[in-house]
Amino acid sequence: MLPLTVSALLLASLATCSPIDRDRTAAILSFDSTSSSDSLLVARDPKVFNAPLWQAEKNQIAAQYSTKTGGAEDQAKNEKVSGRTGRFSSLAPQHFIEEFDVRKQPVCKDGRGKKCPHGKPGKSGHRLHGPAKKDAKEPMIDVFDTIDELYYGKLSVGTPGQVTSVQFDTGSSDLVVPTIACKNCTAPLFNPKKSKTFKSSKNPFEIHYEDKSGATGMISHDTVTVAGLTVKKQGFGCAFNRLPLNVGSPAFCARAINKVTNGFGDGPNSGLIGLGFPANAASKELPFFMNLVKQKALKSNIFSMYMSRSGKEGSELCIGCVDSAKFSGKIEYYPLNPKATKNIQYYWNIKSGGFSYNGKKPATGPLEAVIDSGTSLIYVSVAAAKALYAQIPNSAPAPKEVGDGFFTFPCNATLAPISLQFGSKQYAMDSRDFNLGQATTGSDLCVGGIIGQDTGDHLAIIGDEFMKSWYSVFDYSKCRVGFAKAK
């Protein structure tokens, strides 16, 4: 298992010497495949299709991406960021901050500013990077042949800070933090009683999925830090066990899960941090990244992701920056499309020409693509999936035991490129990520990683299966998503 490593080389590595930008910052969270407790990537054996795992994710996609209604309440949450009116214009800050590349900026000799020619750089531009702790006992690692299930890392809550772990999810907008009162949650867990700055409320918080997983509890506020970037009074869902506790007390903030999936409960990560838009927050709290934007804390109002595969180290989340050491070529950007969800921006969604096989005309037709780091696979409408697999030789709907919406192809087939079109460019996926393994033990049929699942607003959910091949940049200032070839 390869969780995210948030290491402790603070300002010394990349502090800008510019006096203009000294109050803005950026941070890199690096991931190392050798760590069991501190790395980012979680891997499973792909030799045989894991039906319960992927059926559970498919069910969650159906529930998570139900049709959005839009309306005044969702619009008000978007306007909390900039204080302006207008449905789409409210998303963007009043001026554009050029993307900050951590590999091309001037750096100080000493992060504390002792050798900076322009004076102290303050907290600007620090970079967190370092080796992960080793733990050979992690049960989910398959170092020889893996499927990459999720990406997660460290987060600190409270004063003094208590470290827990969260999945970094661009498809949701809530922060969910586990506490010591949870009987079946993954450690490390947050103890509200030990935080001097913890405040609970009487406002309920609920997330429920079709597969009966989820969290219920109260909205709470506390100091939250990710990679040295801090938001005070960050709102989050503090889920609780259904016990007769006093509402608003620290003991009331505990979490109970009926069934665990996609970042809740029994996974390697404890909680979840959503990197989506305010309108999609069940908690009605401003997401962590949006609070950093509001504070004008970042070098650039962007974050970017590099995802390794199959046990290799190097995955990272760059907050307020891009890292050109992780990609080649130019970043190509595509505008967000709020029209797909009734002019309210819930997701990082962009228009796509659709999926194609072997350079043919896109079989699926145009899609509305949600770039979702919290989803492992790719989900399109049932009709689109049928059309795509019709282009793949000898593919067919999967057997009943695999599940509805899944398709198979011969395991010994040499697949031609499967590509997703943005603008006029085709973005090919790696065939290793498309193959989910044998349909059953000993079968000569393998299951494909593009699944048929109808969603609200006719969205296509583009997960890690695609993102591993393409460095992904989420640009809040210009309301766009960009891709460059991942190294």
Side-chain angles (χ1 to χ4, degrees), residues 213-230:
S213 69
T216 59
M218 309 306 294
I219 303 300
S220 302
H221 296 84
D222 210 335
T223 298
V224 173
T225 300
V226 177
L229 304 175
T230 298

Side-chain angles (χ1 to χ4, degrees), residues 255-480:
R255 89 182 261 224
I257 307 297
N258 296 324
K259 182 181 178 183
V260 211
T261 186
N262 197 35
F264 287 115
D266 67 352
N269 57 300
S270 300
L272 180 79
I273 184 168
L275 298 171
F277 288 87
N280 197 35
S283 63
K284 301 182 181 179
E285 294 290 332
L286 204 60
F288 177 81
F289 175 74
M290 299 300 173
N291 269 320
L292 293 175
V293 171
K294 185 178 180 181
Q295 292 174 186
K296 299 181 179 180
L298 300 174
K299 282 286 188 181
S300 301
N301 291 330
I302 63 175
F303 62 91
S304 55
M305 289 185 169
Y306 172 80
M307 297 179 174
S308 66
R309 64 169 58 83
S310 302
K312 293 183 180 180
E313 61 186 51
S315 300
E316 68 179 30
L317 168 65
C318 196
I319 304 176
C321 50
V322 298
D323 184 355
S324 56
K326 298 296 184 181
F327 63 88
S328 59
K330 180 183 178 182
I331 301 172
E332 300 285 347
Y333 287 97
Y334 304 95
L336 298 181
N337 181 30
K339 292 182 180 179
T341 49
K342 300 175 178 61
N343 290 320
I344 299 295
Q345 200 69 57
Y346 297 94
Y347 315 113
W348 292 96
N349 60 285
I350 54 180
K351 291 182 178 181
S352 167
F355 278 99
S356 62
Y357 179 77
N358 199 20
K360 299 177 182 178
K361 180 181 178 180
T364 61
L367 302 172
E368 191 62 39
V370 178
I371 312 304
D372 182 358
S373 66
T375 293
S376 303
L377 307 181
I378 293 172
Y379 297 84
V380 298
S381 69
V382 173
K386 289 179 178 179
L388 173 63
Y389 282 99
Q391 289 189 346
I392 301 176
N394 300 312
S395 63
K400 183 178 180 181
E401 58 266 27
V402 171
D404 295 336
F406 293 89
F407 291 78
T408 60
F409 62 94
C411 292
N412 62 0
T414 300
L415 294 176
I418 298 173
S419 301
L420 180 58
Q421 181 177 322
F422 292 110
S424 59
K425 184 172 181 177
Q426 296 286 345
Y427 291 82
M429 301 190 312
D430 193 304
S431 60
R432 293 173 293 175
D433 302 320
F434 177 74
N435 189 345
L436 301 184
Q438 296 174 334
T440 56
T441 302
S443 173
D444 59 358
L445 295 177
C446 285
V447 181
I450 297 178
I451 319 302
Q453 175 61 59
D454 294 327
T455 63
D457 299 312
H458 307 289
L459 301 173
I461 314 306
I462 311 301
D464 304 343
E465 182 181 346
F466 173 84
M467 294 176 69
K468 283 180 284 185
S469 294
W470 298 97
Y471 188 88
S472 302
V473 183
F474 301 83
D475 185 341
Y476 181 80
S477 284
K478 283 197 170 181
C479 303
R480 60 185 185 171

